[in-house]
Amino acid sequence: LSSVSVPAVSRNLRRSVHNDIDDEIVMSNGILSVTVDQSTGVITSITNLSDGVTVNVEQQYGFYKSASKDSPINFDENDDSNFKGDGKCLPGYMDAEGDEYPWLMGSAESWQNSGAYIFRPTSDQKLHPLPPKRAKSIVFYNAGPVKEAHAVFGQGGWIKQIARLLPGKDFVEIEYVVGPVPIDDGGKEVVSKWATSIKSDGHFFTDSNGRDFLKRKRGDHNVFGTDQPNSDEPVSGNYYPVNTAIFIEDDAHSFGCIVDRSQGGSSLTEGTLELMIQRRTLYDDARGVGEALNETDIGITPNPPFGNAERLGGGVIIKGHHRIIVGKGRSGASKMRGAMDSVFSQPHVYVASAPSGTDIPFQHSPLSILESSLPDNIMLISFIALDQENTYLIRLGHQYGPNEDEDLSLQVEIDLHKLFIRVASVREKTLSGNQMRKEWEARRLQWDCKKEGESLPLDDRYDGRVVLKPLEIRTYEIVLL
């Protein structure tokens, strides 16, 4: 809803092979300064120049070995010992799916494979590091607006990385390419790990579907229970879903990562963050799909009785992006909020051709339906055309939680008549948009939540003035002239 000017890439942008005798390379965009190991291309420190904060980091890729039997069992349907009990399905299975015990290759009580639904490392719980490739020179771009340092990890270079600084951005973009994941020595759970000196006291934060940040504690007895300590599964037992961001912080520093897709993440040791970026397992985990999580670039033959479910081709190659952000102490949530939405609400680029000399109606760069810009902490989440002419369903969301930022966590008042061009009417609806909020509130049970001598603050929901509290989302039906 606003125009952005992107500087043209200089014609002299070229691939530079760095051969200086210094141990480190420094690249900067005026907002961040990033130090890179000259022999590997791996980041060693990130400085936020605005905050005056430097975080020393140890970057690492590695993998956990997937838990599974060393080799498949020889299944004999006439051998009763091969069945769990009387051959019934595991809990949650339909009888039509048949006995899944051959896929388990062991007792459901004492053995569980890592697979599509279950992440379970081998019993040693060990992260196997993939060392970066060392060379006398690395690929380094330092001409033009974009700065890049390239790195390669693992034997044969099956993980590649580009650390990138973009003009005007306060994050380091990490572009990674993983695959094909080698499986000659078993399945693998591939992770990207960052180690810092931050004293996180066993705590880290993950988002809940891009909204609230939840405080996690490593080995939390409130989660696992005192009668079931997580020592049996200290790795997978401390993994949590990361839909948008994960961060750690102390009184002096904050360090976080924004993901471009949902991933599992954790902080398994003090001052570290890790995210699972790829998985390739060789056995089914007996949770419904009936096949291993072993994606290949050609596909798979049909399942029995029409085929033998054989994987065809090599392992897939995937590409993803992480955005690394550092800042002052106890600023992790605020730093993450400022960059989260740009990952999932990126501008759509449309390209078309036309004969030379054709009058193009979209020649003006600023093209917006808004009369004024939204506040920095408010997002237009939805703008949907309804069946009625000139009628739209909009959702406005407050993007900061309570106490996450001194200014941006405050409630905001917006006048929709001043925000949109030529508004004829405004009516608030429930979040799903299927009822008028005024009618719904008249029907709902009215709880008396106010304390003695206290009145609840009210805002007029029906004249176009909107008051948005932290993390609140509100839905409106507007008619434009």
Side-chain angles (χ1 to χ4, degrees):
L1 298 175
S2 62
S3 61
V4 178
S5 298
V6 179
V9 176
S10 173
R11 292 178 61 89
N12 66 355
L13 177 61
R14 65 187 187 279
R15 170 170 159 164
S16 304
V17 180
H18 202 88
N19 283 304
D20 291 349
I21 60 173
D22 295 334
D23 292 332
E24 295 177 328
I25 302 169
V26 178
M27 53 185 186
S28 176
N29 63 356
I31 300 173
L32 297 178
S33 178
V34 178
T35 305
V36 177
D37 186 290
Q38 185 251 343
S39 64
T40 62
V42 175
I43 296 175
T44 58
S45 73
I46 304 172
T47 299
N48 186 314
L49 300 174
S50 302
D51 291 350
V53 170
T54 296
V55 177
N56 295 320
V57 299
E58 180 184 341
Q59 189 189 3
Q60 185 181 76
Y61 287 91
F63 64 88
Y64 298 100
K65 290 185 177 180
S66 304
S68 64
K69 281 285 190 179
D70 292 335
S71 60
I73 64 168
N74 296 317
F75 178 67
D76 181 0
E77 62 181 7
N78 296 317
D79 184 355
D80 291 339
S81 65
N82 279 330
F83 287 87
K84 41 186 188 305
D86 56 0
K88 292 182 179 179
C89 304
L90 288 174
Y93 277 71
M94 298 182 297
D95 289 339
E97 291 181 277
D99 194 332
E100 293 291 328
Y101 184 82
W103 292 98
L104 266 181
M105 300 173 299
S107 168
E109 286 75 24
S110 62
W111 189 259
Q112 171 64 60
N113 287 335
S114 189
Y117 289 93
I118 304 294
F119 161 44
R120 189 186 186 205
T122 51
S123 58
D124 60 8
Q125 305 285 310
K126 180 182 178 182
L127 177 63
H128 300 265
L130 295 168
K133 179 182 177 182
R134 293 189 173 274
K136 293 182 179 179
S137 61
I138 65 168
V139 178
F140 180 61
Y141 296 80
N142 203 26
V146 179
K147 323 293 182 183
E148 290 184 357
H150 294 221
V152 179
F153 298 81
Q155 186 176 3
W158 57 276
I159 296 182
K160 299 176 178 63
Q161 172 187 285
I162 301 174
R164 182 180 292 122
L165 274 182
L166 302 171
K169 301 299 181 182
D170 63 350
F171 57 81
V172 183
E173 181 176 84
I174 303 295
E175 179 180 307
Y176 57 85
V177 178
V178 180
V181 177
I183 53 173
D184 51 343
D185 58 345
K188 293 179 175 64
E189 327 272 351
V190 185
V191 302
S192 171
K193 181 177 179 179
W194 297 81
T196 74
S197 59
I198 292 176
K199 298 176 177 60
S200 51
D201 193 28
H203 294 104
F204 58 104
F205 297 80
T206 64
D207 71 287
S208 177
N209 287 329
R211 302 301 295 169
D212 204 6
F213 274 109
L214 303 179
K215 188 176 184 178
R216 311 295 193 179
K217 182 180 180 181
R218 186 168 58 250
D220 190 352
H221 291 300
N222 293 317
V223 174
F224 298 100
T226 56
D227 58 333
Q228 286 190 334
N230 74 310
S231 57
D232 292 339
E233 297 292 343
V235 174
S236 60
N238 282 292
Y239 257 66
Y240 291 89
V242 179
N243 301 119
T244 310
I246 181 173
F247 68 89
I248 54 176
E249 61 184 6
D250 60 17
D251 291 335
H253 307 89
S254 62
F255 179 91
C257 179
I258 297 175
V259 299
D260 64 347
R261 67 204 69 182
S262 293
Q263 295 176 331
S266 187
S267 175
L268 297 178
T269 56
E270 191 73 356
T272 67
L273 283 183
E274 65 179 65
L275 289 155
M276 187 174 296
I277 56 177
Q278 176 63 324
R279 307 179 67 217
R280 191 180 183 190
T281 68
L282 301 183
Y283 300 106
D284 181 57
D285 58 4
R287 288 299 182 270
V289 295
E291 63 182 72
L293 185 62
N294 181 19
E295 297 176 288
T296 53
D297 52 12
I298 295 181
I300 186 173
T301 61
N303 287 324
F306 307 103
N308 58 355
E310 177 186 2
R311 285 287 176 180
L312 304 176
V316 296
I317 299 175
I318 64 102
K319 181 173 74 171
H321 295 83
H322 286 164
R323 293 183 175 182
I324 305 300
I325 298 178
V326 301
K328 294 183 291 188
R330 307 301 174 190
S331 67
S334 178
K335 291 290 185 182
M336 297 298 108
R337 294 287 185 195
M340 285 164 52
D341 297 325
S342 63
V343 175
F344 293 96
S345 301
Q346 299 187 31
H348 294 281
V349 178
Y350 297 91
V351 180
S353 61
S356 178
T358 303
D359 183 28
I360 307 297
F362 303 111
Q363 291 180 339
H364 299 287
S365 56
L367 180 65
S368 176
I369 59 170
L370 299 183
E371 284 277 73
S372 58
S373 296
L374 286 165
D376 290 339
N377 51 0
I378 303 299
M379 180 180 181
L380 181 62
I381 297 175
S382 303
F383 189 85
I384 303 170
L386 301 179
D387 292 337
Q388 297 88 349
E389 186 177 2
N390 296 328
T391 304
Y392 301 89
L393 187 75
I394 67 168
R395 291 185 180 90
L396 293 172
H398 196 304
Q399 298 305 93
Y400 284 72
N403 304 316
E404 290 180 351
D405 188 276
E406 184 177 348
D407 299 317
L408 298 176
S409 289
L410 301 177
Q411 72 177 27
V412 179
E413 181 173 344
I414 299 173
D415 189 339
L416 295 181
H417 289 280
K418 296 179 180 179
L419 182 65
F420 291 95
I421 300 173
R422 300 185 302 277
V423 176
S425 66
V426 176
R427 296 192 299 174
E428 183 170 15
K429 309 199 78 171
T430 56
L431 184 62
S432 60
N434 65 345
Q435 302 175 66
M436 292 299 170
R437 178 160 178 170
K438 188 174 184 179
E439 298 172 0
W440 169 75
E441 286 192 341
R443 296 194 307 269
R444 67 184 290 240
L445 180 63
Q446 302 298 319
W447 295 92
D448 185 6
C449 301
K450 59 181 182 293
K451 298 178 182 178
E452 186 176 352
E454 177 186 61
S455 60
L456 291 175
L458 299 175
D459 59 292
D460 192 340
R461 300 185 179 96
Y462 314 112
D463 68 350
R465 293 195 307 274
V466 181
V467 175
L468 286 164
K469 302 176 181 65
L471 290 181
E472 188 176 22
I473 300 175
R474 296 175 67 171
T475 306
Y476 294 87
E477 181 184 281
I478 65 172
V479 179
L480 304 181
L481 296 175

